[in-house]
Amino acid sequence: MTKKVALITGVTGQDGTYLAELLLEKGYIVHGIKRRSSSFNTQRIDHLYQDPHSSDPTFILHYGDLTDSMNITKIIKEVMPDEIYNLGAMSHVKVSFDSPEYTANADGLGVLRILEAVRLLGMEKKTRIYQASTSELYGLVQEIPQSETTPFYPRSPYAVAKLYGFWIVKNYREAYGMFACNGILFNHESPLRGETFVTRKITRAVTRIGMGMEKVLHLGNLDAKRDWGHAKDYVEAMWRMLQVDTPEDFVVATGVTTTVRDFLNLAFEKIGFKLDYVGEGVNEIGLLSHIDYDVAFQQLGRTKEELPKLGEVLLKVDPEYFRPTEVDILIGKPNKAFEKLGWKPKYDLNLLVEDMVTEDLKHLKKDICLVNGGFEVTAHLEY
Ligand code: NDP
Ligand code: GDR
């Protein structure tokens, strides 16, 4: 039987990595688009690397960029994919306020470039397309929980660009009968999450504070609520969306929402720490109020004397991390995905946080070995 061929844009990112793993496991030939960078940017997928000189490689990388139509068209023509997963994007909401035009180009027009390439190459009956749409489309709250029928009200250049991507997918589906669909995915995290998103920033900081390598974590809006799932579960939903008979748009979420503050509390709990919060707004601080020394020793291998002292300030609010317009609450209603895709998440928030803290502790212990061996390790906490 001939193997299915998939093309993943954004293969070097969090979701691209998990999706490539999943498709390779399923027997696909996987092509990925990576951007040219002055230094290596393939750390997440290095374990999947195959020598391009070997016979019949099943994982193949191409240089490319969603802002370059000729490049995108050329790759699609070469690869002739059965499935395209468009995961490439400038994906940081706060950064999109700094680079709005670039974001519109990559995240909005980039989607059009893929659809047009498939259409102009006459592949609209062969190639199925998944578009990485987002719960950020809901923005300013119109309805809770948010489903496929909830009106959109984007609140950032990122979300506005993704809104274009959403509608152009729907339009090409209706206009040309293409198999193209939007996964409206709510926040999903993992040990591979980029270090500047709040969950990973928290799990890295908590483990570093626990190990005595950092003193204070600075965060922005602690009251924002997000519906956090695990990326491993969510890439399975992406794949399922392209296996059904009819292309449709789906919400993918857990249906549970949590504040940034509670995510932080859960992460500290994993190393035995508890915080008390005093003050309000930008003056709010988090004080270390309790330590379960058994848990702390088990997780960190540090004794009471080596740990931070009760009453120390471990969290401060920095308005630098506030957004000009914030999305206050996201909570998804994934019933359609449950029913039509047979999809269900395996991870809840507790398992997600546990996975992230455990993996960050592993990285950190490796760094500590290097430091103890006389090597310098530079790992910034805040960018
Ligand atoms: P990441 O930021 O981890 O990965 C983004 C990927 O896109 C990286 O491979 C990046 O390359 C690549 N990329 C960035 N700009 C371009 C460009 N101009 N041309 C080609 N590739 C580019 O994101 P995630 O894996 O978390 O998310 C995947 C997709 O899903 C994104 O589109 C995101 O907007 C969307 N999404 C994510 C959600 C989440 O919670 N994670 C929720 C909903 C939607 P490089 O490694 O070189 O930077
Ligand atoms: P988000 O994720 O904007 O939801 O976009 P992020 O983790 O950046 O922010 C979540 C919430 O946490 C608040 N916050 C902070 N955020 C960051 N990054 N850094 C901080 O220090 C901080 N302090 C508080 C934010 O204000 C926000 O309310 C992610 C991305 O993956 C998008 O690509 C995707 O589309 C959406 O999720 C769904």
Side-chain angles (χ1 to χ4, degrees):
M1 209 178 73
T2 51
K3 286 177 177 249
K4 271 196 181 176
V5 177
L7 174 65
I8 305 176
T9 73
V11 73
T12 56
Q14 168 190 258
D15 291 6
T17 302
Y18 285 120
L19 182 65
E21 286 176 359
L22 180 80
L23 297 180
L24 287 168
E25 264 168 39
K26 290 188 182 295
Y28 281 62
I29 296 176
V30 178
H31 292 258
I33 297 185
K34 66 172 174 179
R35 293 194 293 172
R36 194 271 157 181
S37 160
S38 65
S39 45
F40 283 126
N41 59 356
T42 52
Q43 297 87 328
R44 288 190 181 98
I45 51 169
D46 280 346
H47 62 293
L48 300 176
Y49 176 82
Q50 294 176 15
D51 186 342
H53 308 101
S54 65
S55 59
D56 301 329
T58 52
F59 185 59
I60 303 138
L61 294 178
H62 306 257
Y63 281 110
D65 199 298
L66 283 161
T67 59
D68 180 343
S69 358
M70 278 188 273
N71 159 268
I72 294 295
T73 309
K74 178 175 148 282
I75 295 172
I76 294 177
K77 187 170 176 225
E78 247 170 61
V79 170
M80 298 286 285
D82 299 299
E83 296 171 7
I84 297 179
Y85 295 86
N86 182 34
L87 311 184
M90 201 309 287
S91 73
H92 202 285
V93 173
K94 174 84 193 311
V95 175
S96 77
F97 287 95
D98 300 324
S99 288
E101 184 183 336
Y102 171 72
T103 306
N105 194 358
D107 300 15
L109 290 179
V111 188
L112 176 68
R113 291 185 181 106
I114 288 181
L115 292 164
E116 266 297 89
V118 168
R119 192 177 75 83
L120 294 174
L121 291 166
M123 292 164 60
E124 58 276 53
K125 293 286 169 269
K126 169 183 170 64
T127 306
R128 297 183 167 201
I129 301 169
Y130 171 86
Q131 165 57 17
S133 286
T134 165
S135 53
E136 282 295 298
L137 297 173
Y138 298 119
L140 190 67
V141 66
Q142 307 291 304
E143 183 180 49
I144 282 177
Q146 290 118 355
S147 74
E148 292 81 2
T149 55
T150 303
F152 296 141
Y153 193 130
R155 294 270 280 172
S156 62
Y158 166 79
V160 174
K162 285 279 185 181
L163 186 75
Y164 177 82
F166 177 91
W167 282 109
I168 201 70
V169 162
K170 209 169 159 111
N171 179 247
Y172 271 52
R173 182 164 79 213
E174 291 171 1
Y176 304 116
M178 289 170 71
F179 194 114
C181 60
N182 290 289
I184 309 173
L185 270 52
F186 283 61
N187 297 54
H188 45 280
E189 321 294 313
S190 76
L192 297 183
R193 184 58 144 154
E195 291 85 348
T196 60
F197 296 98
V198 77
T199 55
R200 185 79 197 289
K201 182 171 167 184
I202 288 174
T203 58
R204 283 184 79 227
V206 161
T207 51
R208 292 173 71 81
I209 290 171
M211 293 301 276
M213 295 176 80
E214 213 78 53
K215 292 220 168 298
V216 184
L217 166 66
H218 292 95
L219 289 177
N221 179 7
L222 303 177
D223 297 316
K225 289 183 165 177
R226 290 291 181 274
D227 180 331
W228 278 298
H230 198 299
K232 258 191 194 171
D233 282 332
Y234 286 40
V235 298
E236 167 85 27
M238 294 177 190
W239 175 75
R240 285 181 183 237
M241 272 179 232
L242 295 197
Q243 311 312 311
V244 290
D245 292 336
T246 319
E248 285 185 66
D249 305 325
F250 289 92
V251 159
V252 177
T254 68
V256 178
T257 197
T258 310
T259 59
V260 170
R261 189 185 284 96
D262 282 341
F263 189 102
L264 178 67
N265 287 336
L266 197 50
F268 269 124
E269 206 177 280
K270 298 288 172 201
I271 60 161
F273 290 18
K274 191 177 173 304
L275 298 196
D276 270 351
Y277 296 87
V278 292
E280 267 180 38
V282 289
N283 296 317
E284 185 168 359
I285 51 170
L287 303 167
L288 182 58
S289 65
H290 173 79
I291 301 181
D292 181 327
Y293 290 102
D294 290 338
V295 174
F297 186 74
Q298 208 182 324
Q299 292 293 333
L300 309 169
R302 307 184 85 209
T303 60
K304 185 172 180 178
E305 292 66 40
E306 293 167 326
L307 290 167
K309 302 288 164 263
L310 297 184
E312 278 187 33
V313 176
L314 301 190
L315 171 86
K316 288 183 182 169
V317 171
D318 180 350
E320 172 62 26
Y321 297 111
F322 291 164
R323 287 141 195 218
T325 38
E326 175 64 289
V327 173
D328 294 328
I329 174 165
L330 291 173
I331 173 166
K333 190 175 174 189
N335 297 38
K336 184 176 165 188
F338 289 175
E339 285 152 25
K340 290 199 168 176
L341 301 177
W343 175 83
K344 274 242 151 63
K346 297 188 185 78
Y347 284 82
D348 62 9
L349 186 74
N350 186 45
L351 283 177
L352 170 69
V353 176
E354 187 152 311
D355 191 23
M356 293 179 72
V357 169
T358 306
E359 287 303 310
D360 275 333
L361 266 176
K362 269 194 216 160
H363 291 307
L364 199 53
K365 286 177 181 168
K366 205 165 97 185
D367 283 355
I368 289 169
C369 284
L370 288 172
V371 171
N372 291 342
F375 296 96
E376 199 179 328
V377 174
T378 331
H380 299 292
L381 190 53
E382 298 180 24
Y383 294 87

